Amino acid sequence: MDHSNRSSMIHRSAASSPSGDKEKMAYSDIDLDRHVRGIETSPETSLRRGLKARHITMIALGGALGTGLIIGTGKALAQAGPGSIFVSYTIVGFVVFLVMAALGEMAAWLPMSAGFTGYASRFCDPSLGFALGWTYWFKYIILTPNQLTAAALVIQFWLPRDRVNPGVWIAIFLVAILTINYFGIHFFGEFEFWLSSFKVVVIVGIIFLALIIAAGGAPDHDAKGFRYWSDPGAFAPYIATGSWGEFLGFWSTMINATFAFLGTELVGVTVGEAQNPRKTIPRAIKLTFYRIVIFYVISVLLIGMCVPYNSPELAFANKASGNANASPFVVAIKLAKIPVLDHILNACILLFVFSASNSDLYIASRTLYGLSSDGAAPSIFRRTNNNGVPLYSLFTSAAIALLAFLNVSDDSKAVFTYFVNMVTIFGLLTWISILVTHIWFVRARRAQNIENETMPYVAPFGIWGSYGALFMCCLIALTKNYDVFVGDWSEKYPTFITGYLGIPIYLVLIFGHKLWTKSKGVRPHECDFYTGKDIIDREEEDFLAAKAAERARHPEQLKNASWFYRRYVSWLF
């Protein structure tokens, strides 16, 4: 590709920029002050690349391991049976892998401070980037206070609310996560690494425990095997009877499976703070597949072997309010007559929720920062302190998390249940946007003759994998709350509103932005692959040179440690 063609792509017209303002050129790819849209280089606005390879891979895993898996599977099991949750988690898990692979291909080519919001604006349509960024921020400013509320509810397992007001625990946790985020990416990365490592150890322990219970190694000495798949059965009918009812039961669990996997894509938010992102991001993506199989598919398979879907204990658990009693794993422990372990698991769940609220605040602040870097939010939100922390974005996101104090009142719990419903649709819209962006990215890459061999990472199933995942995400988004159309509408209309409200909000953001800014979609032959790439190339060269110098100083020590980590630990962590 000659230099003149490259230059013409770099200086794309303002009509393709987020603002569409041809006179001010406010958000063109290169502003007059040499600011590259979506890539921050100024000391006043740039993040710090303090996330090491182990931080990235662990955050990619830990971000998705939470209450959705530990607690959410209970409702799905009781409603649809073990076969249904096994199939739904497998299907959604594969879709998530396709989404991550699509994101990884773009992130490895050009790690942008703006994250996948910047990719949508640059490679597909500025209006899509605008809508994606804001809906993703909405998702996490809802999730953060919701996780704080869950933490207070978990503590009620030991201290009922009539003894200690939940507002006390909410305040303590909010101050703690704000402090962790304030001290910079090095501290956050290290803290989240060890907390997520603990999550992995707990999940592995739960998997082994479930296997032991199913094999008859528990105090009841009952080798259950696949007994509960025959009696009461693998698929429970829901709403209707017969095979149709069993299918409806299976499809009703797709929302639970989706909610459990939400957050996996947050590795796309970390690219602006990752060391050597062209190597660490693809590596995190590749390992996602194995983690999905191990931590999700196997765990739901085993829990279906240990707990029958019609268990009275499970029915009671679904009436519990968010603590360990609501977990099917605790039900398995109780049915196997194992003492004390439910208290230990509740303590583990408390750490799960704390880790989730910590990473949720991080993502919320970095998403708002990315919106500002991409020109879709006021520029004040991309200002950082000496530690590279976007303080204005952090404190704004934390201020909205104060909504958690609404849960001091019993009546507001229902509101936050509906918020969780909204989070799911916002998460699906995020996946849809990433997949659409990747499809446009590949089409533009082909139009400009950028071959697979020149890419640092290529999605294994290519553009067709993204088409298939896009179809599934759209199907789930449109049908996930189908049961609201059956039964008493006066009771179910709030679920309908919160379940589908995200779709019109998303569309209004896209088309409202288009009407306001007159922006246009990016044509394949005009797509800009190169602006800012030289900056990333230099950073990568400097990083590799520094690592080479470090290896030269301590050759044997680093070689042995690195080999041991890659060989025995990295696949898991």
Side-chain angles (χ1 to χ4, degrees):
M1 181 180 297
D2 61 35
H3 180 74
S4 60
N5 287 340
R6 184 176 298 183
S7 298
S8 67
M9 286 184 290
I10 289 176
H11 297 284
R12 216 174 65 215
S13 70
S16 294
S17 68
S19 69
D21 190 335
K22 295 182 180 179
E23 294 180 1
K24 295 181 181 179
M25 293 287 289
Y27 305 132
S28 61
D29 283 344
I30 300 182
D31 291 340
L32 297 178
D33 62 353
R34 303 300 297 172
H35 165 247
V36 180
R37 177 168 60 86
I39 300 177
E40 298 295 338
T41 57
S42 167
E44 291 79 20
T45 61
S46 60
L47 301 172
R48 302 289 182 269
R49 293 197 179 275
L51 291 179
K52 300 177 182 178
R54 59 186 177 89
H55 295 150
I56 295 291
T57 52
M58 184 51 67
I59 289 174
L61 172 62
L65 284 179
T67 53
L69 174 63
I70 297 296
I71 295 177
T73 48
K75 180 179 184 297
L77 177 62
Q79 186 167 289
S84 294
I85 62 173
F86 177 70
V87 175
S88 62
Y89 272 71
T90 302
I91 292 173
V92 177
F94 185 62
V95 169
V96 168
F97 173 70
L98 294 174
V99 173
M100 294 287 285
L103 176 59
E105 182 172 329
M106 297 182 290
W109 174 260
L110 187 65
M112 297 175 67
S113 305
F116 42 71
T117 300
Y119 300 134
S121 295
R122 183 161 178 164
F123 301 133
C124 184
D125 192 312
S127 296
L128 179 65
F130 179 85
L132 168 59
W134 283 109
T135 52
Y136 201 62
W137 189 63
F138 292 156
K139 170 189 169 184
Y140 277 98
I141 61 173
I142 293 171
L143 261 182
T144 305
N146 198 68
Q147 296 285 12
L148 293 171
T149 302
L153 291 172
V154 168
I155 292 176
Q156 289 179 36
F157 183 75
W158 300 296
L159 292 171
R161 63 180 298 120
D162 56 353
R163 290 183 58 188
V164 180
N165 192 293
V168 174
W169 309 118
I170 291 172
I172 292 172
F173 276 97
L174 181 57
V175 171
I177 63 173
L178 184 59
T179 302
I180 293 167
N181 277 267
Y182 176 80
F183 280 121
I185 193 62
H186 294 281
F187 183 77
F188 171 85
E190 202 63 35
F191 184 88
E192 195 61 30
F193 171 80
W194 290 109
L195 211 54
S196 295
S197 299
F198 178 77
K199 281 187 186 182
V200 173
V201 171
V202 171
I203 293 292
V204 171
I206 287 174
I207 289 173
F208 277 111
L209 175 65
L211 182 61
I212 291 169
I213 292 173
D220 62 354
H221 301 295
D222 180 15
K224 300 173 177 64
F226 284 91
R227 179 196 310 159
Y228 298 139
W229 284 57
S230 301
D231 181 23
F235 298 90
Y238 179 61
I239 297 179
T241 58
S243 299
W244 176 240
E246 291 177 352
F247 173 78
L248 292 177
F250 152 70
W251 197 255
S252 70
T253 64
M254 296 298 276
I255 185 173
N256 301 94
T258 301
F259 185 76
F261 281 108
L262 288 181
T264 311
E265 77 291 331
L266 70 87
V267 69
V269 182
T270 67
V271 294
E273 294 172 285
Q275 295 177 354
N276 196 18
R278 289 203 175 115
K279 181 179 179 182
T280 56
I281 299 298
R283 189 166 178 274
I285 303 296
K286 290 175 184 177
L287 293 174
T288 299
F289 176 78
Y290 301 104
R291 292 166 180 150
I292 287 172
V293 171
I294 293 170
F295 296 118
Y296 285 89
V297 178
I298 291 181
S299 62
V300 297
L301 173 65
L302 289 171
I303 199 63
M305 295 168 63
C306 298
V307 181
Y309 72 75
N310 61 353
S311 167
E313 288 279 352
L314 193 62
F316 170 78
N318 283 315
K319 296 177 183 178
S321 56
N323 56 34
N325 284 325
S327 172
F329 296 97
V330 171
V331 173
I333 290 170
K334 289 182 176 180
L335 291 176
K337 299 179 173 59
I338 303 175
V340 183
L341 202 55
D342 53 343
H343 289 271
I344 296 174
L345 185 56
N346 195 63
C348 295
I349 291 174
L350 182 61
L351 285 175
F352 272 45
V353 175
F354 178 72
S355 173
S357 61
N358 185 42
S359 61
D360 288 346
L361 182 59
Y362 165 80
I363 299 166
S365 65
R366 296 318 189 267
T367 302
L368 187 55
Y369 167 88
L371 280 165
S372 180
S373 179
D374 199 44
S379 60
I380 190 173
F381 291 120
R382 62 185 173 99
R383 293 183 185 175
T384 58
N385 65 3
N386 293 332
N387 291 326
V389 178
L391 290 182
Y392 293 101
S393 294
L394 176 62
F395 287 129
T396 300
S397 301
I400 297 175
L402 294 173
L403 286 172
F405 285 102
L406 290 173
N407 288 270
V408 172
S409 166
D410 281 324
D411 297 333
S412 63
K413 289 180 183 176
V415 175
F416 273 79
T417 301
Y418 299 141
F419 277 176
V420 170
N421 210 5
M422 292 180 66
V423 163
T424 306
I425 188 63
F426 282 141
L428 282 166
L429 292 171
T430 298
W431 293 353
I432 288 169
S433 301
I434 292 171
L435 292 165
V436 169
T437 302
H438 179 250
I439 290 169
W440 255 250
F441 177 84
V442 175
R443 288 173 56 197
R445 197 159 59 75
R446 291 175 177 174
Q448 298 183 28
N449 296 318
I450 301 176
E451 302 296 336
N452 288 352
E453 291 72 21
T454 63
M455 301 291 294
Y457 174 74
V458 177
F461 294 90
I463 194 172
W464 294 108
S466 291
Y467 275 123
L470 179 63
F471 171 78
M472 281 302 301
C473 287
C474 291
L475 185 63
I476 296 171
L478 292 174
T479 61
K480 68 185 185 69
N481 291 109
Y482 71 87
D483 55 343
V484 300
F485 301 104
V486 180
D488 188 356
W489 175 254
S490 62
E491 293 181 0
K492 294 189 175 183
Y493 78 89
T495 303
F496 171 79
I497 293 173
T498 55
Y500 292 104
L501 182 62
I503 296 176
I505 290 176
Y506 180 73
L507 295 175
V508 166
L509 286 170
I510 290 178
F511 293 106
H513 182 269
K514 268 195 175 300
L515 289 173
W516 182 262
T517 64
K518 311 298 182 187
S519 66
K520 298 178 181 178
V522 180
R523 297 174 181 175
H525 64 279
E526 293 179 350
C527 186
D528 177 8
F529 284 97
Y530 294 100
T531 301
K533 187 173 181 294
D534 57 332
I535 299 172
I536 305 299
D537 291 340
R538 285 196 300 270
E539 288 181 351
E540 184 178 28
E541 291 171 2
D542 293 342
F543 174 81
L544 293 176
K547 295 297 287 184
E550 186 178 355
R551 281 195 298 270
R553 288 194 300 270
H554 310 285
E556 289 302 320
Q557 179 181 352
L558 288 174
K559 181 181 178 181
N560 293 336
S562 178
W563 174 84
F564 180 83
Y565 179 81
R566 286 197 308 269
R567 181 70 177 82
Y568 295 108
V569 183
S570 64
W571 68 274
L572 183 63
F573 293 97

